[in-house]
DNA sequence: GTCCAGGGTGAAA
DNA sequence: TTTCACCCTGGA
């Protein structure tokens, strides 16, 4: 990873000169589930063992430690977490004239694909099955509060519990926290990782296909969840996540066969977007969400001609 | 109060 | 390939 010399470290915070980042959409937009807005601005969360506030700043982000460990190491940690080594410039250039992404990229450049801890990411997306973001945050947050290690004054200021601890807690514990049927998937997954049967971090070095198959071998991990974990924690920028919203977007903007299944659509998109699939995926998802919100507000019909000033 | 959707998966038809 | 149960929370 290259660290920009324009990053500025002071006693209380680190400014990362990484260009404009939409902190809300990136940290609290469905990639990660343990970032919370603070009344004083920015988002509060834990990365590794560090309790942080991350806020948007002119030309980058400002990272402020909320624990007593100072700023040492934060630059490296957060550049990595924010996916700064991804080929954002190449992506922007290559798809500048794309029917869906072109307009989005011209008016909007603040999305990043996070590089999270693989275990926390896997836990979060197994939990996401037939759920919604508020509930996922509720579930993941409560499990972390009960099982994680405290690194700050608030209940939420905890590290994510190790797989051993989750495995030890057991299925009924998670059911009592409101995980529902997902509890019976999470415990075996925790056991597989705790035992070393599945070495998650090693999948960063594996091919996309091999890593994907290894994840899908876990009960409760299908193609969608696997692609989320691959994109958001295992360095697989060729991963493209297809849910029903993305499928609709693909039909709207591209010449996709009428009756394409989710699986077919994902293959098509990976072929089309290549190594930029995960970035394309985030921009498409965000654009679709903005359009949906706009229509829910009873406002302008933005389904077809998306006004660039709303991007 | 009821109804329903929510960034799915696995098993059975 | 399609259908259905699986849990449960918040909003309509």
């Amino acid at each position: 990873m290259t660290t920009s010399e324009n990053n500025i470290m002071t006693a209380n915070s680190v400014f990362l000169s990484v260009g404009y980042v939409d902190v809300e959409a990136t940290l609290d937009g469905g990639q990660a589930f343990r970032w919370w807005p603070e009344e004083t601005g920015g988002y509060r969360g834990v990365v590794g063992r560090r309790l942080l506030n991350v806020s948007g700043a002119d030309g980058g982000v400002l990272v402020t430690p909320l624990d007593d460990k100072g700023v040492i190491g934060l630059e490296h940690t957060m550049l990595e977490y924010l996916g700064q080594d991804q080929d954002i410039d190449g992506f922007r250039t290559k798809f500048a004239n794309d029917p869906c992404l072109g307009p989005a990229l011209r008016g909007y450049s603040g999305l990043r694909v996070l590089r999270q801890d693989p275990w926390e990411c896997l836990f979060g997306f197994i939990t996401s099955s037939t759920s919604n973001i508020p509930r996922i945050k509720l579930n993941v947050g409560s499990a972390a509060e009960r099982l994680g290690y405290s690194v700050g004054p608030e209940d939420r200021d905890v590290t994510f519990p190790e797989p051993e601890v989750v495995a030890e807690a057991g299925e009924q514990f998670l059911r009592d926290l409101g995980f529902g049927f997902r509890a019976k998937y999470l415990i075996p997954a925790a056991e597989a990782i705790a035992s070393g049967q599945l070495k998650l971090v090693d999948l960063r070095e594996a091919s996309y296909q091999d890593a994907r198959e290894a994840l899908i071998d876990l009960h409760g991990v299908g193609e969608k969840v696997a692609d989320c974990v691959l994109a958001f924690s295992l360095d697989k920028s060729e991963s493209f996540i297809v849910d029903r919203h993305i499928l609709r977007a693909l039909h709207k903007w591209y010449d996709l066969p009428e009756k394409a299944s989710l699986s077919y659509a994902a293959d098509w998109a990976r072929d089309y977007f290549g190594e930029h699939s995960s970035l394309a995926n985030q921009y498409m998802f965000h654009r679709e969400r903005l359009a949906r919100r706009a229509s829910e507000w009873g406002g302008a019909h933005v389904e077809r001609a998306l006004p660039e000033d709303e991007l």
Side-chain angles (χ1 to χ4, degrees):
Chain A
M1 178 185 320
T2 56
T3 59
S4 165
E5 293 170 9
N6 296 323
N7 299 330
I8 299 168
M9 191 182 299
T10 69
N12 300 321
S13 61
V14 179
F15 170 76
L16 301 176
S17 176
V18 294
Y20 168 64
V21 174
D22 184 334
V23 171
E24 177 182 2
T26 297
L27 296 183
D28 202 18
Q31 289 190 62
F33 304 109
R34 295 207 304 134
W35 289 98
W36 309 89
E38 293 206 277
E39 292 187 4
T40 51
Y43 279 75
R44 183 187 187 105
V46 175
V47 176
R49 298 183 173 280
R50 299 304 310 273
L51 175 64
L52 310 168
N53 175 282
V54 179
S55 62
D58 191 17
V61 299
L62 191 65
V63 181
T64 308
L66 301 176
D67 52 27
D68 55 5
K69 299 175 186 167
V71 296
I72 302 301
L74 283 187
E75 179 183 14
H76 174 81
T77 297
M78 288 308 292
L79 286 175
E80 189 173 271
Y81 187 81
L82 293 171
Q84 197 50 31
D85 56 349
Q86 292 159 18
D87 184 24
I88 296 170
D89 292 337
F91 167 63
R92 295 177 63 82
T93 303
K94 190 168 180 182
F95 295 99
N97 296 314
D98 183 89
C100 172
L101 301 177
L105 282 166
R106 246 169 277 135
Y108 194 86
S109 61
L111 291 175
R112 296 291 186 275
V113 174
L114 297 176
R115 186 182 197 263
Q116 303 178 61
D117 171 73
W119 161 237
E120 177 168 357
C121 190
L122 175 65
F123 186 98
F125 283 99
I126 291 177
T127 302
S128 78
S129 178
T130 328
S131 190
N132 50 68
I133 291 178
R135 183 181 171 193
I136 300 164
K137 290 184 71 168
L138 185 71
N139 289 156
V140 173
S142 61
E145 284 182 25
R146 295 287 301 276
L147 301 175
Y149 176 78
S150 175
V151 290
E154 296 186 8
D155 291 342
R156 289 170 177 164
D157 301 337
V158 290
T159 62
F160 194 75
E162 298 298 323
E164 291 81 356
V165 178
V166 173
E168 177 76 16
E171 178 178 333
Q172 191 57 46
F173 179 86
L174 293 182
R175 283 190 179 265
D176 292 344
L177 289 181
F179 280 78
F181 61 86
R182 302 156 195 88
K184 69 175 180 287
Y185 300 143
L186 288 163
I187 298 306
E191 289 170 345
I193 292 150
S195 70
Q197 176 195 333
L198 176 62
K199 294 180 167 55
L200 268 186
V201 180
D202 288 1
L203 297 183
R204 281 181 170 153
E205 314 304 325
S207 71
Y208 169 77
Q209 287 298 344
D210 287 351
R212 194 170 193 251
E213 285 169 19
L215 290 174
I216 289 176
D217 279 345
L218 293 170
H219 213 56
V221 177
E223 296 181 357
K224 155 72 167 57
V225 169
D227 278 318
C228 289
V229 178
L230 291 167
F232 303 150
S233 74
L234 293 176
D235 298 333
K236 300 298 180 279
S237 65
E238 63 268 55
S239 171
F240 194 93
I241 300 148
V242 180
D243 61 14
R244 57 198 197 86
H245 303 299
I246 288 288
L247 185 62
R248 192 177 57 204
L250 285 172
H251 275 122
K252 187 159 53 181
W253 301 107
Y254 305 95
D255 192 22
L256 200 65
E258 190 71 34
K259 50 177 172 48
S261 65
L262 293 176
S263 186
Y264 180 95
D267 286 340
W268 182 91
R270 272 195 297 278
D271 185 57
Y272 185 80
F273 296 111
E275 64 180 323
H276 300 109
S277 290
S278 62
L279 279 166
N281 203 178
Q282 282 311 111
Y283 276 85
M284 197 178 298
F285 187 71
H286 192 66
R287 175 169 189 172
E288 197 62 23
R289 173 158 53 194
L290 288 180
R292 195 148 39 95
R293 277 187 192 163
S295 63
E296 281 170 4
W297 270 68
H301 180 65
V302 294
E303 289 293 328
R304 305 185 70 79
L306 188 71
E308 295 192 21
D309 54 76
E310 291 194 25
L311 283 170

